[in-house]
Amino acid sequence: MAEPDYYQLIGVDRNATLHEIRSKFRAKVLAEHPDKGGDPKKFQLLNKAYNVLTDTEKRRRYDTTGRAEKSAEEEFVEGFAGGRHHFEPRTKEQDEKAIVSLQDRIIQGNQTHEEGFAEWLRQRDQQAMVLTDKDFMKTHLFNASELATKIHHPGPVQHVLGSPKTDAYGQALGGAVQVQVKPRPLKKTIDHDEVLVRMLAVPVDESMVYADLKKTGVCLGVTGVGRVEQAGTRVEDLKSTDPVLVLPKPAKFSSSHPIGTARTLLTCSEEDLLRIPAEILDELTPEQICLTPTIVCAYTVLEQFGSKLKPGDSVLLNAAHLSASGSALLQLCKLLKLKPLCMLSLPGSPKNLAKGEYGSKSAWADVDSRAAAAPPTVRQQYERISELLVTMGAEEVFPDAVAMLRWRDRNQRMLPKLALDGIATRDSCEQLIHCLQSGDKDAQIVVYGHGVAQPLEISPPLLAAWGGRIVGFNIARWVHSLSGNAKKMMAVMENVTKLVRANKFVLDTIMYKVGEDAVTDAFARAADAADNAQVVLIFPTLQEELTLSHQEQKVEMEKQARMKEEEAAKKREEDERDKLKSDWLNLLFTDQSVAAMSPEGPLSTAYEGGNTSSPSALLVWVGDDPKNESAAMRDIAAQAGSAALVSLAWSEHPAGEAFNEFSLKSPEVVDGSFYLRDRQAFENQDLDLLHDVELLGRCLCESIEPKLGEFGLDWDKVVILGFGKGAGIALYASLLNIFPKQVSSMVLFSPIVLFPSFLAQKMEALRKPGAAKMKVFTVWGNRNRSTPGTYRQLLAQTLKKAKDVHCTPDTLPDADHSFDSKSVSVLTSMLPLCLPR
């Protein structure tokens, strides 16, 4: 709304003197006084016009701008760097005063010793020259236990914990940290100089996302806003409920060991806190106030390092699109009428790097920018962010340094003198150097960002050819370097508050509540270069913490009770299963077993030969493949003499289906671990295999008994011949008394005997003493992987435990798990030793 013409209102010309203005005002004000029937509104305007025109400063501003009051922008620009960016036309008298006489300066000479000493005193930090009782207690490490204060809050509070990203070998991979939220207990007391702060808001910046952590479970956060919950006995400047900004000295903490503001309650020293003025607290929210270090960092960088810049000069930015720091720099440049040139590098976009000699056109002209095109999604993000940056005050936006140098060459523009590096990656400074004027023109780069914790890499010849300065800036170090800087920080924020109130400065934040929202999403969004919103963590109240703690304790107790109940039920189930398994194993190979109570009939006869009219002995062959073994049976029958030969096919019996499918090439069989199982480690399929072996052994017995009756022979005239699984079935049947009497002898080629240790236990329980001696010959192939050495030794030890068994082992060279012609010749040569006399 435009202000009225104060000169016309009073009735004087614009060049009227102060005396004329007063005379006209007296006449007008008497006529317009409300007590004499005048208009009250016009009376107020007359008084306002008189106040403006009789005040020299206000009248000058009114004559220049048409407004008597300063706008928020004018106050900010006039206050920035002593009004360096505020230009107004001055009178001839002011021009004459501004002229410096070199002759007068030479005549006057240097300042005196007294003047120099006075200047030195003015520049000294007075607070650092005074030693207080607090300083004495800190320097002498005095911390009496009687001065400690008990913390009122009883339960644990939420902590945002970070851990370094590691590979499978525990080596750090770098990049963004891994985060999680966990309740952690508080310490019981605070010391005399400590303060307990209830955190309200913490910004998620690069120092949190890319923290250089050395161990897991570190509480993150280097700054934030909160209220004092409790203060130590020697803390005088702060009291309960005071709003404070946490900004510790950088020497006390580091990126690998942060103060840890990302928690509901923070215990810290009084010197790590700055009181927040009421003016700021009334206008801004906690999530906006927590950005104070970021905003003041942008302000101070421009003030200190842009001292020689004038309105219209360019500033080079490479992090204008990142969080609050870039947004603050852009908006401040717009207020100061500077022209920001922004480099917008997005993940997934091709990077064209300027390489080569400084100032040489070949460093960027030879780069082929068409070598790789950005994906469509990246191009859309670039266009969207570019438009936003231009809206916020950027003059031009470039994808990289090469694009900027080409733009400058086309438009014949001067290169900027100042570059602000907020990315701080390996090649960020090198690219900025190519885009700046040479060092003899006061060019400099200011590194103010934490970046991704990478070392800067700059070619020494490039740095020497450029000749400029690279300066680092840390806002926490700047604030704590002088006592006046803390006051200046709050003064800057008061000016920013006025700008926010006038909608001239925008603080775009997005909040995540710890304990409710996914903190991993917050850190992922903060690390996303395509998202320029500032992520802020907010924390639950203490009442919510207590409720959450009680709920978590209740949930934890219910979880523990449920786990105990599940463990008890699982133990009962395991005990019941172990009992059933033990009962089943005890019944195996006895008269009460399932196989004994439910027989399934004899095995089928695959071959019968030899002397079948009046044999002197019965040879029984139990192999694994009766069809392929028929030729071998004829050869053996021809060498059997007066004995009869019967080949029984267990693999064709219904009871042998599962045992026949059991693979002898499985890894557990080849390495011997299958054979070494004891009864405690048996699984259901192992119990089924043992049942099948017993059932097949009883079927074998049912097949042999009719033949003995037909030939008029007894069991002591029986010789068992076998191979593989069939040999194992026959050995189980013979040693565990499934056969009514002991057979004369056994010749077993590569026998597959399930679980020899279980066989030994059953022999001790079931073997009848005083039985006739039985000869057992075992023949192994030295290349047979289905019968490893550990299994052979275990079976040999088992057979030694049988007192009525005499075992003779033998090995066939170059033999595998097969019954071939070589095995047949060995068997025929052993028949005279096996046949009963």
Side-chain angles (χ1 to χ4, degrees):
M1 178 178 174
E3 297 189 22
D5 189 344
Y6 292 145
Y7 292 102
Q8 185 179 358
L9 192 63
I10 295 179
V12 296
D13 296 332
R14 286 192 171 271
N15 56 357
T17 63
L18 191 60
H19 177 71
E20 292 173 348
I21 292 173
R22 286 174 178 169
S23 299
K24 289 287 186 180
F25 171 72
R26 290 193 188 100
K28 285 272 187 181
V29 79
L30 289 175
E32 297 294 340
H33 199 282
D35 294 342
K36 294 186 179 183
D39 186 0
K41 292 185 178 179
K42 191 172 182 181
F43 181 77
Q44 285 183 350
L45 283 175
L46 280 171
N47 281 293
K48 185 175 181 181
Y50 178 76
N51 291 332
V52 171
L53 297 182
T54 55
D55 187 298
T56 306
E57 181 66 24
K58 291 182 179 179
R59 184 177 179 181
R60 182 184 59 80
R61 187 182 303 110
Y62 178 75
D63 291 341
T64 305
T65 65
R67 290 180 286 104
E69 301 294 334
K70 296 179 183 179
S71 66
E73 296 174 77
E74 290 174 336
E75 287 190 15
F76 174 79
V77 173
E78 289 182 14
F80 181 85
R84 184 169 61 242
H85 288 257
H86 180 69
F87 290 91
E88 291 183 357
R90 57 190 180 188
T91 63
K92 292 183 178 180
E93 292 80 6
Q94 291 173 329
D95 286 337
E96 291 175 358
K97 292 180 180 179
I99 297 175
V100 178
S101 174
L102 184 61
Q103 183 177 0
D104 294 342
R105 179 67 59 85
I106 294 174
I107 294 173
Q108 184 179 357
N110 296 329
Q111 61 184 1
T112 63
H113 175 73
E114 289 79 6
E115 291 174 341
F117 181 72
E119 182 181 349
W120 177 80
L121 283 178
R122 287 195 304 271
Q123 294 177 354
R124 290 284 291 172
D125 185 5
Q126 301 297 323
Q127 185 176 356
M129 300 172 63
V130 179
L131 184 65
T132 64
D133 57 340
K134 293 183 181 180
D135 299 322
F136 177 80
M137 295 176 73
K138 290 175 184 176
T139 54
H140 289 75
L141 303 176
F142 177 72
N143 185 14
S145 58
E146 62 268 14
L147 295 179
T149 304
K150 184 179 179 181
I151 293 179
H152 300 323
H153 187 72
V157 295
Q158 301 293 330
H159 286 59
V160 179
L161 306 177
S163 301
K165 189 179 294 184
T166 57
D167 57 14
Y169 301 97
Q171 300 296 321
L173 296 176
V177 299
Q178 297 174 325
V179 292
Q180 59 180 338
V181 177
K182 282 189 176 182
R184 288 279 182 91
L186 294 169
K187 67 177 189 176
K188 302 298 183 184
T189 60
I190 56 175
D191 294 336
H192 61 90
D193 61 341
E194 289 184 332
V195 180
L196 184 67
V197 181
R198 179 171 67 86
M199 299 305 298
L200 300 176
V202 172
V204 181
D205 54 12
E206 294 88 348
S207 62
M208 290 180 66
V209 177
Y210 300 103
D212 188 19
L213 303 180
K214 305 301 182 186
K215 59 181 182 179
T216 60
V218 178
C219 188
L220 301 173
V222 296
T223 185
V225 169
R227 287 188 180 273
V228 175
E229 190 69 22
Q230 287 181 252
T233 54
R234 306 289 295 183
V235 176
E236 299 176 355
D237 296 335
L238 296 173
K239 61 180 184 300
S240 181
T241 71
D242 278 352
V244 291
L245 174 69
V246 182
L247 193 67
K249 292 182 178 180
K252 291 176 61 178
F253 301 97
S254 63
S255 179
S256 60
H257 178 242
I259 189 173
T261 55
R263 65 181 87 179
T264 305
L265 286 175
L266 169 68
T267 302
C268 61
S269 176
E270 182 184 7
E271 63 182 4
D272 298 329
L273 303 176
L274 301 175
R275 187 199 299 271
I276 300 174
E279 295 81 0
I280 300 176
L281 196 67
D282 293 340
E283 295 292 336
L284 302 180
T285 60
E287 58 270 15
Q288 293 175 326
I289 299 174
C290 73
L291 303 180
T292 296
T294 301
I295 297 171
V296 176
C297 176
Y299 180 97
T300 309
V301 164
L302 287 175
E303 183 182 43
Q304 287 192 1
F305 303 102
S307 58
K308 296 185 179 181
L309 297 179
K310 297 178 182 179
D313 287 350
S314 298
V315 179
L316 185 56
L317 309 177
N318 66 359
H321 59 293
L322 297 179
S323 64
S325 59
S327 173
L329 281 170
L330 270 182
Q331 296 181 79
L332 291 176
C333 286
K334 183 177 181 180
L335 290 170
L336 300 172
K337 296 180 174 57
L338 299 175
K339 295 183 178 180
L341 302 177
C342 301
M343 293 171 58
L344 175 58
S345 177
L346 295 179
S349 62
K351 289 186 178 181
N352 297 316
L353 302 179
K355 293 287 186 181
E357 185 180 353
Y358 172 77
S360 172
K361 193 172 182 178
S362 61
W364 52 270
D366 298 337
V367 177
D368 186 7
S369 59
R370 297 170 298 175
T377 55
V378 177
R379 289 200 301 270
Q380 293 173 3
Q381 290 177 352
Y382 179 84
E383 293 172 0
R384 175 180 59 84
I385 299 175
S386 298
E387 183 178 353
L388 177 63
L389 295 180
V390 172
T391 304
M392 296 177 66
E395 183 186 14
E396 293 289 342
V397 180
F398 310 98
D400 47 49
V402 173
M404 181 195 163
L405 290 170
R406 287 175 175 167
W407 170 84
R408 175 254 179 185
D409 188 61
R410 289 195 305 269
N411 294 275
Q412 298 298 311
R413 288 285 297 270
M414 290 286 294
L415 290 174
K417 296 180 180 180
L418 176 64
L420 305 180
D421 187 2
I423 295 180
T425 56
R426 295 185 187 277
D427 56 2
S428 59
C429 276
E430 181 180 3
Q431 297 304 300
L432 292 176
I433 287 175
H434 283 285
C435 301
L436 290 178
Q437 295 187 26
S438 60
D440 56 359
K441 297 181 180 179
D442 301 321
Q444 57 184 341
I445 296 175
V446 181
V447 181
Y448 68 92
H450 181 275
V452 293
Q454 294 180 352
L456 303 178
E457 295 182 357
I458 304 173
S459 169
L462 175 66
L463 186 61
W466 173 54
R469 290 197 311 157
I470 299 179
V471 187
F473 182 80
N474 181 274
I475 185 62
R477 187 177 299 278
W478 176 81
V479 169
H480 290 286
S481 61
L482 291 174
S483 59
N485 288 347
K487 297 178 181 178
K488 184 176 180 180
M489 169 184 271
M490 295 306 167
V492 170
M493 282 308 296
E494 289 181 15
N495 290 336
V496 171
T497 302
K498 296 177 182 178
L499 294 173
V500 172
R501 190 190 310 140
N503 293 326
K504 300 298 182 182
F505 196 92
V506 180
L507 299 175
D508 185 17
T509 60
I510 180 168
M511 292 175 288
Y512 286 81
K513 189 169 184 178
V514 175
E516 295 183 6
D517 301 327
V519 177
T520 52
D521 294 344
F523 275 71
R525 186 161 187 175
D528 187 3
D531 194 340
N532 61 341
Q534 174 64 56
V535 178
V536 177
L537 299 179
I538 59 176
F539 295 85
T541 64
L542 295 184
Q543 185 61 38
E544 290 175 341
E545 282 282 5
L546 287 175
T547 304
L548 185 62
S549 177
H550 293 325
Q551 291 177 351
E552 288 179 348
Q553 289 178 2
K554 183 179 179 181
V555 170
E556 186 65 23
M557 291 175 62
E558 292 177 353
K559 182 180 178 182
Q560 291 181 357
R562 189 164 57 251
M563 289 177 60
K564 288 181 180 179
E565 185 177 350
E566 291 176 355
E567 289 177 359
K570 186 177 180 180
K571 190 175 184 306
R572 288 195 300 269
E573 183 180 350
E574 289 178 354
D575 293 342
E576 184 177 355
R577 186 167 57 248
D578 290 343
K579 184 177 182 304
L580 290 174
K581 183 172 70 174
S582 179
D583 294 342
W584 176 271
L585 292 174
N586 291 335
L587 287 176
L588 281 177
F589 300 97
T590 64
D591 296 337
Q592 289 80 30
S593 67
V594 176
M597 304 297 290
S598 303
E600 296 192 11
L603 304 178
S604 59
T605 302
Y607 175 83
E608 186 173 354
N611 186 3
T612 57
S613 57
S614 58
S616 60
L618 178 62
L619 303 179
V620 180
W621 173 259
V622 188
D624 290 347
D625 191 358
K627 292 182 181 181
N628 294 328
E629 294 167 353
S630 58
M633 293 301 101
R634 287 191 291 269
D635 295 340
I636 296 173
Q639 299 293 329
S642 60
L645 174 64
V646 177
S647 174
L648 301 177
W650 70 268
S651 57
E652 298 177 358
H653 194 276
E657 181 179 357
F659 193 33
N660 189 34
E661 293 177 353
F662 174 67
S663 175
L664 298 180
K665 297 180 179 180
S666 61
E668 56 184 1
V669 173
V670 174
D671 63 16
S673 60
F674 172 78
Y675 299 107
L676 299 179
R677 292 181 187 172
D678 57 9
R679 60 188 298 156
Q680 298 297 329
F682 285 166
E683 300 176 359
N684 291 337
Q685 55 265 34
D686 300 332
L687 301 181
D688 294 339
L689 287 176
L690 287 172
H691 167 71
D692 293 344
V693 168
E694 180 190 0
L695 189 58
L696 291 171
R698 295 187 183 277
C699 294
L700 176 63
C701 181
E702 291 183 40
S703 303
I704 296 175
E705 283 183 333
K707 294 296 180 183
L708 292 178
E710 179 183 347
F711 297 142
L713 300 175
D714 201 356
W715 283 94
D716 59 350
K717 301 299 182 180
V718 175
V719 177
I720 301 293
L721 311 176
F723 169 77
K725 298 175 184 177
I729 295 170
L731 187 61
Y732 254 102
S734 177
L735 295 180
L736 298 185
N737 302 330
I738 291 179
F739 295 159
K741 296 180 181 178
Q742 188 76 280
V743 298
S744 173
S745 59
M746 303 182 77
V747 181
L748 308 176
F749 285 80
S750 301
I752 302 299
V753 181
L754 299 180
F755 317 121
S757 59
F758 173 74
L759 175 60
Q761 294 174 4
K762 296 299 287 187
M763 281 196 310
E764 292 180 2
L766 302 177
R767 192 74 173 165
K768 298 177 181 179
K773 293 287 185 180
M774 178 179 65
K775 294 180 290 185
V776 176
F777 298 92
T778 57
V779 183
W780 309 96
N782 68 341
R783 293 186 178 180
N784 189 353
R785 299 186 63 192
S786 301
T787 56
T790 54
Y791 159 67
R792 299 179 194 177
Q793 294 176 3
L794 183 59
L795 181 60
Q797 294 173 2
T798 300
L799 295 177
K800 285 182 180 179
K801 294 180 181 179
K803 304 298 183 182
D804 52 351
V805 174
H806 182 269
C807 180
T808 303
D810 195 5
T811 302
L812 289 179
D814 300 330
D816 54 9
H817 191 74
S818 62
F819 189 74
D820 52 11
S821 58
K822 187 185 298 184
S823 303
V824 172
S825 62
V826 172
L827 177 56
T828 54
S829 65
M830 295 177 65
L831 285 179
L833 301 175
C834 303
L835 291 172
R837 301 185 185 279

